[in-house]
Structure formats: structure tokens, C-alpha cells
Amino acid sequence: MQTSNQTPTSFTFWDVACVAQLTLLSILVTIQFWHWDFDDGFIVYRYVENITSGLGWVYNPGEHYNASTSALNTILTSSLALLGASPLAAAHLLGGLGLWLMSISVYAIFRRDATHWFSAAVASVCCIMMANNFTWGLESHLFFGLLSLYIALEVYGYTSWLLLGLLVWARPDAIILVGLRVALALWQRNIPAKGVAIVLLTIAPWALFSLWSFGNVFPATLQQKRWQGSSGFWGAGWIFLQGLSGYIRGETFRHLSGVTWAPVLLTAPLVLLPQGLLYASLRRNPVTLLFLYVAAILSAYTALNVPNYHWYYVGVVLVIFVFAGFGALFVSERLPIKLPGFMNGAFVGLLLLGTGWAFLRAKSDQLDLRTSVYRNLSDQILAKTPAGDSIAAVEVGVVGYYSKRPMIDIVGLTTPYGEFITGANSDRLLNELKPSVIVMHDPLMLHEESVYGDPLFVSNYRLAGVVTTPDIQSFRFLSVNQGRAPLLRSTLQERASTTSQKLDRTPLLYARETLGSSIRPTNQLKLRHLRWL
């Protein structure tokens, strides 16, 4: 492994070859996940569809409430949709472009210090791991593509304050990155007045629009998520830290589930990460801004103790593998012997292996089974209820997008009515808002228990339809003992400790049990339709 302190001054044939390989890899992983969407992504798609239909920046037409966390992602997805793409296709195309931008930027970051092959190998690993984080449809790929580009420009001596402003558009918490960059400038005895002005001018259009339309600059979801973290419905204690631990132990390598040597792939980069951080710090490499930003975000969310939604941890992947790459450079420079030339061949083999693996994976689409079930549920709603009937649900994304009906978010994130999971506001839901349809699960989700047990629900709703799901063991996005449902696990384990049943067959609280009914938990989604008496 050869290293160099000299910044590359020309774009060689091998640079072109590596960029071509990274481009191909980005295309392949995008194809692999082209039809993969999950519930939260459909919330963005509904915003996009309403914008492109002329209804404005709304989730429910007529409700001026912004639950979209990324203005830039929504705007760019809407722009692509206006050119003729569906919201789903536009989002996946944008996500693929974000992955490609991240890959090329990581390659450029490493090319200052390492060979073509090593740089491309690190960039390829980052591309594959980020693609397998299951955040397609959200802003994650776009954000980390722009963030990687910003870091790459810093590495080569250019600070793009305009890009910093766009990063704030992409995710409001990027304001922390702006603060870090300003602090660095002040530490260097430089007052970045012009740079700060550029950032403010960049974000001003959205800030003014948001203030005028919604009454605030930032999305209205942060306070609700803070409440969620303290409510106990997402677990007890420091739930964000618990989620981070679980993410590092397994979620990053989710696509390798069942492979016995997967922990080795995790341990090696973690061992090299401190050396990589030392390597970058000693060389005053601006890539340390990436580490500081992700560390600051994780610290802030830990202090706020928000729920452990998996997309909050995506930056961990980039930090682990980027700094593991620098750690490998650090170790190689201190070896008593020079590494043989065949190491370059090993990196070439790694590139070919990774690209070939992506090619084979691209031939079989990745699908979120939950999406197809909720789409079938939407078809039942359309068939059984008149147009304009409202729907209340814990997961509003897929159902809201395909039913195109007014939605009420029982959890309280997407719509402005607050939460309906504690029972404190059930009267407003059932007596004032009176949704025509309420979606429940069997077994009940913890967040549905208070509504299900409310006397108004019992007396005024009847079972109107059932959608059978695949076997619960393979249906990982509904099964409580799989990685897609970590938010329920701690509470369910407490319940399971009092019963001899397996966790995934543990019945939750059903109102009908109190009436003497024998409820056998089944693998079904239940649709409850209003029959107001």
C-alpha cells in the first residue's frame, strides 16, 4: 500500500477507470433497491405528489403543517417528478445520484494520500454499506453525498459555504456543521463573515417560506420526537444509545445476516478507527470535520433521547469505514517492511468482487414486504369506503400515498393533531376527528392499545377487512423479534417475561379479551371501519 503526501495534480487513466467502476457500482446498487420502499419514504412521496399536483407543500390538502425533515430532498424529488418521473422513481434516482456523489468524493478524499486502488476500494465499501442501510426515499443518500463532496473540497483547500447552506436545506441539523466550520475558522484567527453571510443567504428563501407557510423555520417534528423518547412507548432509559449499540452490532451488516463471519467485518474497521482519526488529526486533514459532525449529532440526539429510528445512525457507517481506511494507511506507514506490490492486485480483486457481487444482487430486487401489504390494505379502503373518508393509523406512509385520503397520524408526527397513543387525547380522535377508518394490527402494536381499548372505539367500529401477511418469521418488517421493530422490543420483553409464549407470538392487550373472547394472535393486519351510531 503506497501513500503520498502530494496532492494529485492530474487525472490519470487509472483515475478514470476507478471513477467508471464506482459509477457502475452506484448504478448496480440503485437497480438492486429500485423497488425497495418503506413506510416513511411514502410520506415524502405524498408531499411530492401534492406539490406537483398544485396542492402545495402539504401532507393533507388544506393543512399547513410541515413534517418533511428535508426541504432540499423534497424540492429536488419534486423537480424530477415534474419532468415526468413518478415520486418513487424520482426519489430512487436522487438517492442513486447521492450514493454516486458520495463514492466519488470519498475516492477523491483518499487519493491525496493513497493509491487509486485503495481509494476506490474504500469508496466501494462505503457505497455498498450505505446502499444497504434501507433509507431509500429519505434524504440520507443526498445528504451524505453532499457532505462527502464538502469534505472533499475542504481536503483540497476549498471551503464551500454555499454547499454548507445547501446541507442545512438537506437536513436542519447540518447547522451544527456550520458551527464547527465557523469555530475552526475562529481558532485559526479568521472571522468568516463572508462565509456566514453566504450560508444565511442560501437558507433565507426556505426560512422565509417556512415561516410564512408554517409559522416556524424547522420541521414541527422535533418536539414530538423528544416527547416520544420520554413517553416509554419506544423503550425505557437511554433509548437512542441503546439503538446506536444495536445498530453497530448488527444493522450495518444487515445484508450479511446469517453469515457467521460477519462480526469480523465489523470488528476490523472498529479497531482501525482510532488510528485513522489519529492519522487524519496529525496531518490536519479536514476529514476530521466528518467525525466531529457525526459525533456531535449522536451526542445531541443522545441528550434529547429521541427514538432510535435507524436513519439517525447512517452517518456512523461513513465514519467507520472512512476512518478505518485512514487507519489502514496509518498502520501501513509504520510497518517495518514495505508492503509488496501484489497488495494493489488485492485491492483490484476487491473492487471486482464487490462490483460483481452488486451485479448479482441487482438481478433480484430488494422489497419491503410491509409495503405490499399496506398497498393491499389501501385497495380495501378504496373499495369499502367513499372518497374523502379519513384514515387514522400508526404507520401512515404507504396507506396515505396509495389511498389519497385525509390521514390522521396516531403517533402524531405527520399531522398536527398531536398523539393518540397514551389515551389522554382519545376523545378528540374518536369524538371530534372521527376517522372513517382506523388501521390496527393483530397482534396489536403497543401504540394502538389505548385507541383499541377505548369504549368509543369498541362501540362504534367494526371489523371491515383483513389482509393476510406472509409468515411472521420471514416478515421481518412486522415481526417484533426482527431488526425492523427495535422500538417495541424492550416493552415486549417485559411482557414476555410474564408468559410462557414466544416473543413473536405474545398477544398484546386486546379489549375483546376483557370481554371473555379467546384471542389467538395471527399474522394479520386488521382494518377497522367506522359505523358511527
Side-chain angles (χ1 to χ4, degrees), residues 305-383:
N305 202 29
V306 298
N308 49 1
Y309 297 123
H310 71 280
W311 51 86
Y312 287 153
Y313 306 113
V314 173
V316 174
V317 172
L318 199 56
V319 165
I320 286 177
F321 288 98
V322 165
F323 284 92
F326 281 115
L329 295 179
F330 180 87
V331 171
S332 68
E333 287 184 355
R334 283 154 181 79
L335 290 175
I337 57 173
K338 187 177 180 180
L339 292 177
F342 72 80
M343 290 298 294
N344 283 333
F347 291 124
V348 174
L350 179 62
L351 294 178
L352 294 175
L353 182 63
T355 307
W357 175 83
F359 173 75
L360 293 175
R361 297 270 292 186
K363 296 174 70 175
S364 58
D365 281 343
Q366 296 291 308
L367 299 172
D368 182 348
L369 298 177
R370 180 179 57 173
T371 297
S372 61
V373 173
Y374 280 146
R375 185 168 184 177
N376 291 338
L377 185 63
S378 301
D379 293 339
Q380 285 206 30
I381 291 172
L382 291 172

Side-chain angles (χ1 to χ4, degrees), residues 25-42:
L25 182 62
S26 300
I27 292 172
L28 290 173
V29 294
T30 302
I31 293 173
Q32 177 191 349
F33 288 96
W34 188 257
H35 295 111
W36 191 93
D37 296 280
F38 77 126
D39 197 72
D40 291 82
F42 282 92

Side-chain angles (χ1 to χ4, degrees), residues 155-455:
V155 166
Y156 287 91
Y158 180 72
T159 299
S160 176
W161 294 96
L162 173 63
L163 197 50
L164 281 174
L166 291 176
L167 282 165
V168 177
W169 275 60
R171 253 174 54 172
D173 57 28
I175 198 71
I176 294 178
L177 181 63
V178 176
L180 289 171
R181 187 60 187 84
V182 170
L184 176 62
L186 293 176
W187 184 72
Q188 296 171 338
R189 299 183 179 180
N190 176 29
I191 300 176
K194 181 179 178 181
V196 172
I198 291 173
V199 172
L200 293 176
L201 288 173
T202 303
I203 64 177
W206 169 256
L208 294 174
F209 170 79
S210 186
L211 279 172
W212 176 266
S213 302
F214 315 116
N216 52 59
V217 175
F218 298 109
T221 54
L222 180 59
Q223 281 297 110
Q224 190 65 16
K225 288 178 180 177
R226 291 186 63 186
W227 174 85
Q228 288 179 355
S230 61
S231 69
F233 281 86
W234 278 260
W238 294 97
I239 57 175
F240 186 81
L241 274 181
Q242 295 168 17
L244 176 60
S245 174
Y247 182 87
I248 293 176
R249 285 186 283 107
E251 183 72 10
T252 305
F253 294 91
R254 185 175 181 175
H255 63 292
L256 293 176
S257 59
V259 179
T260 56
W261 39 267
V264 177
L265 297 180
L266 178 62
T267 305
L270 283 178
V271 168
L272 290 171
L273 191 149
Q275 288 88 341
L277 183 59
L278 178 60
Y279 179 92
S281 301
L282 291 174
R283 297 193 173 210
R284 296 186 177 180
N285 191 320
V287 77
T288 52
L289 282 171
L290 172 64
F291 178 87
L292 292 174
Y293 166 72
V294 172
I297 289 299
L298 295 178
S299 299
Y301 285 147
T302 297
L304 295 172
N305 202 29
V306 298
N308 49 1
Y309 297 123
H310 71 280
W311 51 86
Y312 287 153
Y313 306 113
V314 173
V316 174
V317 172
L318 199 56
V319 165
I320 286 177
F321 288 98
V322 165
F323 284 92
F326 281 115
L329 295 179
F330 180 87
V331 171
S332 68
E333 287 184 355
R334 283 154 181 79
L335 290 175
I337 57 173
K338 187 177 180 180
L339 292 177
F342 72 80
M343 290 298 294
N344 283 333
F347 291 124
V348 174
L350 179 62
L351 294 178
L352 294 175
L353 182 63
T355 307
W357 175 83
F359 173 75
L360 293 175
R361 297 270 292 186
K363 296 174 70 175
S364 58
D365 281 343
Q366 296 291 308
L367 299 172
D368 182 348
L369 298 177
R370 180 179 57 173
T371 297
S372 61
V373 173
Y374 280 146
R375 185 168 184 177
N376 291 338
L377 185 63
S378 301
D379 293 339
Q380 285 206 30
I381 291 172
L382 291 172
K384 294 175 182 290
T385 64
D389 278 10
S390 59
I391 306 168
V394 169
E395 294 187 306
V396 300
V398 178
V399 175
Y401 179 78
Y402 285 110
S403 71
K404 305 187 189 307
R405 301 291 177 80
M407 297 298 298
I408 300 171
D409 187 352
I410 291 177
V411 175
L413 285 178
T414 310
T415 52
Y417 311 115
E419 57 82 18
F420 301 109
I421 61 178
T422 62
N425 302 313
S426 293
D427 185 67
R428 184 186 185 194
L429 174 67
L430 300 171
N431 220 4
E432 179 183 337
L433 297 174
K434 295 182 179 180
S436 299
V437 174
I438 298 181
V439 178
M440 291 286 173
H441 296 75
D442 184 6
L444 280 176
M445 295 175 68
L446 181 65
H447 310 77
E448 298 166 340
E449 291 183 2
S450 64
V451 174
Y452 190 87
D454 192 279

Side-chain angles (χ1 to χ4, degrees), residues 55 57-58 60 62-66 213-214 416:
L55 298 174
W57 195 293
V58 293
N60 285 324
E63 286 182 1
H64 296 285
Y65 178 83
N66 181 32
S213 302
F214 315 116

Side-chain angles (χ1 to χ4, degrees), residues 17-138:
C18 289
V19 168
Q21 178 268 329
L22 291 171
T23 301
L24 175 61
L25 182 62
S26 300
I27 292 172
L28 290 173
V29 294
T30 302
I31 293 173
Q32 177 191 349
F33 288 96
W34 188 257
H35 295 111
W36 191 93
D37 296 280
F38 77 126
D39 197 72
D40 291 82
F42 282 92
I43 296 173
V44 179
Y45 304 159
R46 177 156 160 151
Y47 271 102
V48 169
E49 192 164 79
N50 285 336
I51 291 170
T52 55
S53 299
L55 298 174
W57 195 293
V58 293
Y59 184 72
N60 285 324
E63 286 182 1
H64 296 285
Y65 178 83
N66 181 32
S68 175
T69 56
S70 175
L72 186 62
N73 182 62
T74 306
I75 290 170
L76 292 179
T77 305
S78 299
S79 300
L80 291 173
L82 285 171
L83 295 177
S86 70
L88 285 72
H92 282 261
L93 179 59
L94 188 61
L97 289 173
L99 278 180
W100 175 79
L101 184 59
M102 182 205 68
S103 303
I104 300 302
S105 299
V106 170
Y107 175 79
I109 289 169
F110 274 87
R111 274 296 288 128
R112 195 183 78 160
D113 299 304
T115 64
H116 311 86
W117 314 117
F118 183 80
S119 302
V122 175
S124 296
V125 171
C126 290
C127 179
I128 291 172
M129 297 305 297
M130 291 290 280
N132 280 271
N133 263 279
F134 298 94
T135 55
W136 293 86
L138 303 184

